[in-house]
Amino acid sequence: NIFQTNNQEIKLITEKDVEKENDEKERQKLISSYENNEIKNVLVKSFNFEPNINGYEGLLKERTKEIKKGIEYLKTLSEVKVVSRKGDKFTKEILNEICEVIEVSGNDIVNKDKFIKKAFPDNNNVKVYDLFDMQLLGQALLENELNRVITVYGNAVEVTGLISYSKDLTYKEMFDLLKGNKDKLVKVVNGGVFTGKIIYDFNSTIDINTKSLLFLTEEDCNYKKEESCISCAKCLRICPENLNPIKIVNSFRLKEEKEVYELGLNNCIECGLCSYICPSKIEILQKIRVAKSTLNRGK
């Protein structure tokens, strides 16, 4: 791998050298993204309210060293606390030795503003990460290969649960590795069952921040035609922000922009509970997202 030109020795970079160099650049880029935040307070979340993003305990067991390394590093940059579900003794036992663990329950689990306030009551300058982020940061700091970890569910693939992979993959490549059945697949979702986003480009690369993937069959989706609102008020009762989600949607449809904002459009935290509970199968969250995108554009 060496040749000479003008009496100067030049070393050719092998494919392996390029890969190693790219890995190092990716590690440094990841570490720098935390250093450049200039955030005073950091909260590390050890749970997700969505049922399919539930691999936190398994991740903490498998990647304890990396997670602790990531948290310890953040402590050199900011004040750091961990927030866990009330009664989660395992997380508290593992992480309480390196930083304070705050327990939350009820609606506080869904509402990010509420558990932030509980951890840092006097400061709004708070950045929220979770254990998936910390294990990746820990790997970078330990100069390990960056293994992404995600949870995978759905009856269109044979392999499900907590999955680790070591390079950039497309959704199709991941689907094939998980022994997917193309004849059964009807929908791919990046994220949770309530708030996840449908993937339309099967050949696009899985984002580094992905926590979960759903490869769904028709049976998984339980497809039903969207029906008219029956004014059951279930979306009102379940909303952690005490909004009237369906009224926001209807006001946007009627182009009543002022009323949409007065109803609290921008207070919606996009938890997806309204869509989940709706007996008429109205995609309330997706419609609210469209309203936000349309009305907030350029503001």
Side-chain angles (χ1 to χ4, degrees), residues 9 11 34 47 65 84-86 88 97 108 122 128-129 133 155 175-176 181 184-185 202 222 257 286:
E9 195 174 72
K11 185 176 180 181
Y34 288 89
F47 61 82
K65 184 178 178 182
S84 70
R85 286 181 182 270
K86 191 171 184 179
D88 181 359
E97 63 185 52
D108 290 357
D122 301 320
V128 179
Y129 297 108
D133 300 316
N155 285 312
F175 181 70
D176 291 339
N181 186 327
K184 288 185 175 182
L185 183 69
F202 207 34
N222 190 23
E257 183 174 337
Q286 300 305 326

Side-chain angles (χ1 to χ4, degrees), residues 189-250:
V189 178
N190 185 318
V193 292
F194 301 153
T195 62
K197 296 183 178 179
I198 299 172
I199 299 301
Y200 297 101
D201 184 359
F202 207 34
N203 291 309
S204 60
T205 302
I206 301 169
D207 186 83
I208 190 172
N209 296 312
T210 297
K211 306 290 189 298
S212 178
L213 291 177
L214 295 166
F215 294 100
L216 304 175
T217 63
E218 189 168 348
E219 185 181 355
D220 293 329
C221 296
N222 190 23
Y223 277 133
K224 284 186 181 178
K225 187 178 178 181
E226 183 174 300
E227 298 173 0
S228 298
C229 173
I230 59 173
S231 301
C232 65
K234 286 186 176 182
C235 61
L236 281 73
R237 290 195 292 270
I238 203 169
C239 178
E241 287 295 301
N242 299 313
L243 303 177
N244 188 332
I246 194 63
K247 194 167 183 180
I248 292 173
V249 168
N250 289 336

Side-chain angles (χ1 to χ4, degrees), residues 69-282:
K69 184 71 175 177
I71 292 174
E72 286 168 349
Y73 180 71
L74 282 191
K75 285 174 68 179
T76 68
L77 306 172
S78 314
E79 183 180 354
V80 181
K81 295 181 183 179
V82 171
V83 60
S84 70
R85 286 181 182 270
K86 191 171 184 179
D88 181 359
K89 295 179 180 177
F90 180 73
T91 298
K92 197 163 187 176
E93 183 183 334
I94 299 294
L95 298 180
N96 206 36
E97 63 185 52
I98 60 171
C99 68
E100 183 182 357
V101 177
I102 308 292
E103 291 185 318
V104 296
S105 59
N107 280 351
D108 290 357
I109 289 172
V110 179
N111 194 319
K112 186 170 76 170
D113 291 337
K114 287 184 178 178
F115 64 68
I116 286 176
K117 197 73 176 173
K118 187 166 184 179
F120 297 103
D122 301 320
N123 201 303
N124 295 321
N125 185 23
V126 180
K127 178 74 176 178
V128 179
Y129 297 108
D130 71 10
L131 296 187
F132 285 86
D133 300 316
M134 291 303 97
Q135 70 88 25
L136 198 60
L137 174 60
Q139 286 180 59
L141 293 164
L142 293 166
E143 298 186 0
N144 295 339
E145 186 178 9
L146 295 181
N147 291 312
R148 284 82 169 164
V149 180
I150 57 173
T151 56
V152 176
Y153 290 102
N155 285 312
V157 291
E158 285 186 29
V159 182
T160 58
L162 202 61
I163 305 296
S164 174
Y165 63 103
S166 60
K167 67 172 185 174
D168 292 331
L169 295 177
T170 64
Y171 292 95
K172 184 182 184 308
E173 287 169 338
M174 176 65 80
F175 181 70
D176 291 339
L177 288 170
L178 299 173
K179 301 179 180 177
N181 186 327
K182 284 187 281 188
D183 295 330
K184 288 185 175 182
L185 183 69
V186 297
K187 186 190 285 187
V188 180
V189 178
N190 185 318
V193 292
F194 301 153
T195 62
K197 296 183 178 179
I198 299 172
I199 299 301
Y200 297 101
D201 184 359
F202 207 34
N203 291 309
S204 60
T205 302
I206 301 169
D207 186 83
I208 190 172
N209 296 312
T210 297
K211 306 290 189 298
S212 178
L213 291 177
L214 295 166
F215 294 100
L216 304 175
T217 63
E218 189 168 348
E219 185 181 355
D220 293 329
C221 296
N222 190 23
Y223 277 133
K224 284 186 181 178
K225 187 178 178 181
E226 183 174 300
E227 298 173 0
S228 298
C229 173
I230 59 173
S231 301
C232 65
K234 286 186 176 182
C235 61
L236 281 73
R237 290 195 292 270
I238 203 169
C239 178
E241 287 295 301
N242 299 313
L243 303 177
N244 188 332
I246 194 63
K247 194 167 183 180
I248 292 173
V249 168
N250 289 336
S251 295
F252 174 68
R253 180 173 55 81
L254 295 171
K255 298 182 179 178
E256 297 170 347
E257 183 174 337
K258 184 179 178 182
E259 185 175 358
V260 171
Y261 282 117
E262 288 175 351
L263 288 166
L265 172 70
N266 288 332
N267 292 330
C268 171
I269 60 174
E270 301 188 19
C271 66
L273 293 173
C274 52
S275 295
Y276 178 73
I277 205 168
C278 179
S280 297
K281 299 298 177 186
I282 300 171

